Amino acid sequence: MIRRKAVRNLIAVVYALGVTIAVGRWSIHAAYLKRGYEAIGGEYCLILIAYWVAWKAINYLFDTLEDLEHERSRK
């Protein structure tokens, strides 16, 4: 049980970081193209929000899959 939870958390972190890196690179590049110079702005808030949303989405998926597995084994 502990190993399964550790693997689930590892997958969730890797997924959330992957999504965050992709959104971060895109948002920083888009902000640079719009401004024409490097600066710190709202794109960094978008990066934090992207991580939070990705974390919630993958955990929602895992919870749903666990519920389905529990329903199948209950019969």
Side-chain angles (χ1 to χ4, degrees):
M1 184 71 172
I2 293 173
R3 181 180 171 135
R4 188 174 188 173
K5 196 167 198 172
V7 169
R8 174 187 166 158
N9 286 333
L10 179 65
I11 292 170
V13 167
V14 168
Y15 173 79
L17 285 176
V19 169
T20 304
I21 288 170
V23 169
R25 291 182 68 181
W26 170 80
S27 66
I28 291 171
H29 182 70
Y32 177 76
L33 288 176
K34 178 117 174 135
R35 291 185 196 117
Y37 58 92
E38 290 187 26
I40 296 176
E43 64 271 13
Y44 291 98
C45 291
L46 177 64
I47 292 169
L48 293 175
I49 292 169
Y51 181 83
W52 182 75
V53 168
W55 178 264
K56 287 293 193 178
I58 193 69
N59 280 307
Y60 181 77
L61 174 68
F62 286 152
D63 290 341
T64 304
L65 291 174
E66 285 179 2
D67 288 344
L68 285 173
E69 183 180 333
H70 178 69
E71 288 289 323
R72 286 185 191 138
S73 66
R74 209 172 113 199
K75 293 181 181 179

